[in-house]
Amino acid sequence: MPNHTMLRTLDPTRPTSRLALGLAALALTLPLAACDTGNDPRNPSSPSPTESSETTSPSNDASKLDPTGKWTSPEKGDPFLEFAEDGSLEGSDGCNAIVTSWKVEGDEIAIDSFMSTQKACAGVDTWLSKASTATIEGNVMKVKDSNGKVIGGLEKEDK
């Protein structure tokens, strides 16, 4: 007879266990962020932030910076962020759900910290789960990680 090990499921009434498990998973994935090239996956020939010139001008009027609406990418899993007028933010990194809030700070969009599911999806680059801030240039949103490094880009969805 085969010897099977039973895995214990988490008790839903114990949120601290889930939080601890989520934090442990996050801590294990953070070293992987060091492997990021910093190139915009939508435009692989784009310069990394260290190669870009300082001559690019920020938004003329930060108060006009308006990310509301849906920003998408054609990558596998269809990652997206949808910014609501009330400051809420929902999306997907192509595999896991993202739910948080946002606000404009200067010429950037600050994305509040969030926890997301930790599903493993074969062949899906979950770069969007590292989103911390973003800037908008035309119809392209450049998403940055917590170090200010560009990790990818999204396009404004036409309505």
Side-chain angles (χ1 to χ4, degrees):
M1 229 185 328
N3 184 9
H4 296 285
T5 304
M6 296 284 293
L7 294 177
R8 185 175 61 97
T9 58
L10 292 176
D11 182 0
T13 61
R14 295 178 53 198
T16 55
S17 296
R18 286 186 179 198
L19 179 61
L21 183 59
L23 290 174
L26 181 63
L28 292 173
T29 58
L30 285 178
L32 295 176
C35 298
D36 189 9
T37 63
N39 290 337
D40 184 345
R42 298 205 27 83
N43 185 4
S45 63
S46 68
S48 68
T50 56
E51 296 170 350
S52 65
S53 68
E54 295 296 322
T55 60
T56 57
S57 61
S59 303
N60 292 339
D61 184 359
S63 65
K64 292 185 180 181
L65 184 61
D66 182 15
T68 56
K70 190 170 184 177
W71 299 78
T72 62
S73 173
E75 295 173 59
K76 186 174 182 180
D78 299 319
F80 75 94
L81 292 176
E82 189 162 3
F83 295 80
E85 289 182 16
D86 67 359
S88 63
L89 173 62
E90 294 183 5
S92 170
D93 64 6
C95 182
N96 298 289
I98 295 170
V99 178
T100 187
S101 57
W102 66 274
K103 63 183 169 255
V104 173
E105 292 181 350
D107 62 350
E108 283 191 325
I109 301 130
I111 300 170
D112 291 334
S113 298
F114 56 90
M115 297 286 285
S116 68
T117 55
Q118 296 293 315
K119 294 187 288 184
C121 298
V124 176
D125 181 359
T126 58
W127 60 270
L128 196 51
S129 65
K130 299 178 199 120
S132 181
T133 61
T135 57
I136 298 175
E137 295 177 18
N139 284 336
V140 176
M141 177 179 285
K142 289 189 175 183
V143 181
K144 301 176 184 179
D145 65 13
S146 60
N147 295 320
K149 183 178 179 183
V150 175
I151 55 173
L154 300 169
E155 291 182 347
K156 180 77 172 194
E157 184 176 85
D158 294 329
K159 290 255 175 176

